[in-house]
């Protein structure tokens, strides 16, 4: 029997707590309220590099974060020999990750954000007027999504059909959900963190620098996501 394997890349957020931890946790609570689903179901790496062995509140920090629904997949920057973390359920570390830059966190959710997520036009096509903010997750499982604006870093667009972005695409775009391999992702400025088509993925580093920031499309070619310039 032939064993089949293929690569798949995901964008993980990195949280870097700072002392005093009680104030940092309060800030995290406020950010969760503002950003909605930014942390929901997303892989998060906990970076302890700004803390020390005697930081007040360190003993319960991991559990405090998990109780807020944040999924910690790895911990870095700390030391397992610290007494305060001796009883932590320390997840295995991941190797080979590359920084992707700062994620723009929203300052507040607006009524316009909520309205944009529910605006439907053109039958099976979802048309959204305006920008998609960091932390927003737009899903449409009945067809294409058309966005008349930009998609911020940290935002996620998921469609059963194709995705059309008339602006900068800086977040995550997942098209062809459910086996539609003919789906494509179009952007006036292709700067995506992650592109996915029918289960196959590409990340920022996979985009040709000559195409990055230019009008482009992503399509599936023999189980590989290819990013090509749009005809002018």
């Amino acid at each position: 029997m032939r064993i089949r394997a293929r690569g798949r890349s995901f964008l993980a957020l990195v949280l870097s707590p700072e002392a005093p931890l009680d104030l940092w946790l309060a800030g995290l609570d406020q950010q969760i309220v503002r950003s909605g689903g930014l942390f929901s179901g997303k892989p998060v790496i906990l970076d302890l590099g700004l803390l020390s062995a005697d930081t007040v509140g360190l003993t319960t920090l991991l559990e405090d974060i998990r109780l807020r629904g944040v999924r910690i997949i790895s911990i870095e920057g700390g030391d397992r020999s610290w007494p305060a973390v001796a009883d932590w359920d320390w997840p295995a570390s991941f190797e080979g990750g590359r920084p992707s830059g700062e994620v723009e966190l929203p300052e507040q959710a607006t009524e316009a954000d909520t309205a944009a997520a529910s605006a439907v036009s053109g039958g099976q096509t979802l048309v959204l007027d305006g920008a998609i903010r960091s932390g927003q997750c737009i899903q449409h499982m009945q067809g294409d999504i058309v966005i008349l604006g930009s998609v911020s870093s940290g935002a996620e667009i998921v469609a059963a059909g194709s995705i059309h972005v008339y602006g900068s695409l800086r977040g995550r775009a997942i098209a062809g959900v459910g086996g539609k391999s003919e789906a494509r992702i179009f952007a006036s400025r292709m700067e995506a963190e992650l592109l996915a088509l029918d289960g196959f993925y590409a990340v920022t580093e996979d985009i040709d620098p000559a195409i990055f920031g230019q009008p482009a499309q992503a399509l599936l070619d023999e189980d590989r996501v290819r990013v090509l310039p749009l005809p002018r």
Side-chain angles (χ1 to χ4, degrees):
M1 179 180 293
R2 181 182 176 186
I3 305 300
R4 301 178 183 272
R6 68 188 187 199
R8 180 170 294 184
S9 299
F10 295 90
L11 179 72
L13 300 174
V14 178
L15 280 180
S16 300
E18 301 179 50
L21 289 178
D22 56 344
L23 294 182
W24 184 86
L25 288 168
L28 179 61
D29 289 335
Q30 295 173 11
Q31 187 62 62
I32 289 173
V33 171
R34 289 195 298 265
S35 60
L38 176 61
F39 298 107
S40 178
K42 303 296 189 301
V44 175
I45 296 172
L46 180 60
D47 179 11
L48 303 178
L50 300 178
L51 304 178
S52 62
D54 56 357
T55 299
V56 175
L58 181 58
T59 301
T60 61
L61 176 63
L62 181 59
E63 185 62 21
D64 288 338
I65 294 175
R66 285 174 170 168
L67 287 174
R68 288 161 168 80
V70 179
R71 179 187 173 199
I72 302 296
I73 63 167
S74 181
I75 300 175
E76 60 185 31
D79 191 329
R80 294 193 189 208
S81 67
W82 292 351
V85 302
D87 295 327
W88 278 20
D89 178 15
W90 200 293
S93 297
F94 288 83
E95 302 295 336
R98 290 172 290 183
S100 62
E102 294 290 332
V103 173
E104 178 187 349
L105 298 179
E107 290 302 318
Q108 60 182 0
T110 66
E111 293 182 4
D113 296 336
T114 304
S118 60
V120 180
S121 175
Q124 297 301 306
T125 298
L126 174 64
V127 179
L128 303 177
D129 290 309
I132 307 301
R133 296 172 181 269
S134 180
Q136 282 190 276
C137 180
I138 307 297
Q139 298 187 16
H140 182 55
M141 296 299 123
Q142 288 76 45
D144 294 0
I145 295 180
V146 177
I147 299 172
L148 305 178
S150 296
V151 178
S152 297
S153 173
E156 184 173 88
I157 310 299
V158 183
S162 296
I163 295 173
H164 309 254
V165 179
Y166 292 94
S168 298
L169 172 55
R170 300 188 181 95
R172 301 180 291 274
I174 302 170
V177 176
K180 295 185 178 180
S181 59
E182 72 280 5
R184 299 190 183 194
I185 299 170
F186 303 89
S188 298
R189 287 177 59 88
M190 183 65 77
E191 301 172 342
E193 296 168 342
L194 180 142
L195 299 166
L197 291 163
D198 190 21
F200 294 88
Y201 292 78
V203 294
T204 303
E205 291 81 0
D206 298 320
I207 303 175
D208 187 333
I211 299 175
F212 190 83
Q214 302 299 316
Q217 63 173 317
L219 53 85
L220 197 58
D221 181 16
E222 295 183 351
D223 295 342
R224 176 190 173 194
V225 175
R226 298 187 62 197
V227 181
L228 304 173
L230 286 174
R232 294 178 180 267

